[in-house]
Amino acid sequence: MTAEPLPSWAYPPPGGFTADDLDRIPDLPPHTELIDGSLVFVSPQKYFHTLAMYLFESGLRRTAPPELAFCREMSVVLGRRNRPEPDITVVRAEAVTAAAEETGHVPEDVVLAVEIVSPDSEERDRKRKPQLYAEAGIPHFWRVEKGEGRRPVVYVYELDPATRAYVPTGIHHDQLKLSVPFTIDIDLTEIDRL
């Protein structure tokens, strides 16, 4: 059995890929990310990931003020060699209107980045992506992990502007109740009814 040859775009140029390359490469698989100049391809999502996306998207929409908007799986251009795609991004509403034809956001417009950890993305979601988001100045980050059964566990972080690093502010199991970046109250046990 012989493997199909890789398309020519799969081979990185000298110095690696750039954020602009994601818009130019033909037939690039959906949801491809750029981390440190390397293309990262997304594997099929697990059922928990799909349910958690729905839970957080609907919960955030219910509680967010009108000056904020939400994006699912849209990239954030963090520089020439980094363009990750958070599972959910909360951005300033005017950024969505201004960027209607764009394929990514700039970090200045992002209020919150949410990553739902999958087995194939553990290392990136737990270490590298939060580091990149913090260095870019994104003020809030949540990491969502699968807990008991299907219930999510939410690790909440806030940016320390002096160090450009995230500081943990809480671990939430059954209820996610926060006052920043806006008043949030999400019943995490609701996932059992989805």
Side-chain angles (χ1 to χ4, degrees), residues 27-156:
D27 303 319
L28 193 64
H31 308 296
T32 299
E33 296 181 285
L34 181 70
I35 306 291
D36 299 323
S38 295
L39 298 177
V40 177
F41 304 108
V42 178
S43 63
Q45 299 298 328
K46 303 275 185 193
Y47 191 54
F48 168 76
H49 194 277
T50 301
L51 292 176
M53 290 271 287
Y54 177 78
L55 176 71
F56 288 103
E57 183 180 20
S58 63
L60 287 167
R61 284 188 192 281
R62 257 192 331 266
T63 59
E67 61 269 13
L68 297 176
F70 303 86
C71 298
R72 283 179 62 144
E73 304 167 314
M74 187 159 185
S75 66
V76 180
V77 181
L78 301 181
R80 187 173 180 274
R81 296 173 38 85
N82 288 294
R83 191 170 161 182
E85 185 177 286
D87 290 308
I88 298 173
T89 310
V90 178
V91 297
R92 294 180 309 105
E94 63 265 17
V96 174
T97 306
E101 301 300 316
E102 300 299 320
T103 58
H105 291 291
V106 294
E108 296 80 16
D109 290 330
V110 178
V111 174
L112 167 67
V114 180
E115 292 290 354
I116 301 167
V117 178
S118 297
D120 71 309
S121 69
E122 285 177 356
E123 189 77 14
R124 287 186 308 277
D125 291 348
R126 290 177 180 167
K127 294 181 182 175
R128 187 62 180 137
K129 288 169 90 175
Q131 180 184 28
L132 291 170
Y133 297 148
E135 289 171 355
I138 295 173
H140 300 276
F141 172 71
W142 297 352
R143 189 182 82 241
V144 179
E145 303 262 357
K146 186 174 181 286
E148 290 287 322
R150 301 197 299 202
R151 292 209 181 147
V153 177
V154 184
Y155 297 82
V156 176

